[in-house]
């Protein structure tokens, strides 16, 4: 029977089914349950951003007082929240946003993990590889509302182009080599 009903998009199908048949107390309970899920994710995300901002701001501005780091981090979170609100107001499908995040992950996977194992691989090479993968992936990535025709090709390009760019950039001579023992020393300092 449900196969013949119009259920809207994939992100609203559950609500389309529930609105017609469920009692109101269950619908109100689902609202609170959904809000609790969103708030728990947002809380974790905000806490993560807050700690990252403080660490990175402290690295960039080492003479800044701790209280000012906290205030600056809070303002950065407000700016990111406003940007998220603007994106949310556009009404993009959640599936589309997840696909964008997956495209970014495909482009970043090789540069990140290759950098863990190759001492000659520099940060600018990783950044150029990631940007190249994103640009290549966006060539075939559908715009919001367009049919998904070349999604596989988009992800394939976003995955393979960073590999090619990284290998080409490794041919360039490099004077600096990363010392992986620095990571061990830093971890030992932090654990003490």
């Amino acid at each position: 029977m449900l196969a013949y009903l119009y259920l809207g998009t994939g992100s609203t199908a559950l609500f389309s089914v529930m609105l017609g048949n469920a009692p109101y107390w269950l619908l109100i309970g689902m609202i609170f349950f959904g809000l609790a899920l969103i708030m728990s994710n947002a809380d974790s995300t905000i806490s993560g951003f807050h700690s990252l901002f403080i660490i990175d701001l402290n690295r960039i501005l080492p003479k800044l007082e701790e209280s000012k780091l906290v205030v600056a981090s809070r303002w950065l979170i407000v700016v990111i929240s406003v940007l998220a609100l603007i994106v949310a107001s556009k009404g993009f499908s959640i599936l589309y946003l997840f696909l964008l995040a997956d495209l970014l992950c495909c482009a970043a996977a090789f540069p990140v993990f290759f950098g863990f194992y190759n001492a000659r691989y520099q940060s600018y090479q990783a950044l150029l590889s990631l940007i190249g993968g994103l640009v290549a992936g966006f060539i075939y990535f559908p715009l919001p509302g367009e049919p998904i025709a070349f999604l596989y090709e988009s992800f394939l390009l976003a995955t393979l182009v960073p590999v090619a760019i990284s290998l080409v950039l490794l041919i360039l001579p490099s004077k600096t080599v990363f010392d992986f023992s620095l990571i061990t020393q830093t971890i030992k300092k932090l654990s003490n």
Side-chain angles (χ1 to χ4, degrees):
M1 168 122 180
L2 291 178
Y4 299 105
L5 297 175
Y6 174 72
L7 299 177
T9 63
S11 59
T12 60
L14 173 67
F15 298 106
S16 298
V17 171
M18 296 295 289
L19 284 176
N21 302 323
Y24 287 115
W25 64 267
L26 181 62
L27 294 175
I28 292 172
M30 284 182 62
I31 289 172
F32 287 115
F33 180 67
L35 281 174
L37 285 173
I38 291 169
M39 288 173 18
S40 69
N41 285 335
D43 177 50
S44 300
T45 304
I46 288 171
S47 295
F49 275 131
H50 186 62
S51 62
L52 280 175
F53 288 152
I54 288 177
I55 290 169
D56 287 340
L57 284 173
N58 190 24
R59 191 170 40 129
I60 295 169
L61 306 167
K63 296 184 182 189
L64 198 61
E65 297 174 14
E66 186 176 325
S67 61
K68 291 184 180 181
L69 284 173
V70 171
V71 170
S73 173
R74 288 179 182 162
W75 277 108
L76 284 171
I77 289 172
V78 168
V79 169
I80 286 180
S81 299
V82 169
L83 292 175
L85 185 65
I86 291 169
V87 170
S89 70
K90 300 294 181 193
F92 292 132
S93 163
I94 193 69
L95 175 63
Y96 185 79
L97 295 175
F98 278 126
L99 288 174
L100 276 174
D102 289 343
L103 188 75
L104 174 65
C105 290
C106 284
F110 183 80
V112 167
F113 290 111
F114 189 63
F116 287 151
Y117 298 104
N118 191 325
R120 288 187 22 216
Y121 197 57
Q122 302 297 313
S123 59
Y124 80 92
Q125 294 169 327
L127 184 64
L128 288 176
S129 299
L130 186 137
I131 291 171
L134 283 176
V135 168
F138 279 132
I139 291 172
Y140 288 111
F141 197 79
L143 294 173
E146 285 186 355
I148 300 175
F150 298 105
L151 194 61
Y152 177 73
E153 289 83 356
S154 173
F155 281 99
L156 198 61
L157 281 172
T159 304
L160 296 178
V161 166
V163 175
I165 291 174
S166 295
L167 295 178
V168 167
L169 289 176
L170 275 179
I171 296 171
L172 299 174
S174 177
K175 295 178 183 176
T176 58
V177 176
F178 184 75
D179 184 12
F180 287 107
S181 65
L182 293 174
I183 296 173
T184 307
Q185 293 170 5
T186 305
I187 290 173
K188 285 181 182 177
K189 286 179 188 177
L190 291 174
S191 63
N192 289 336

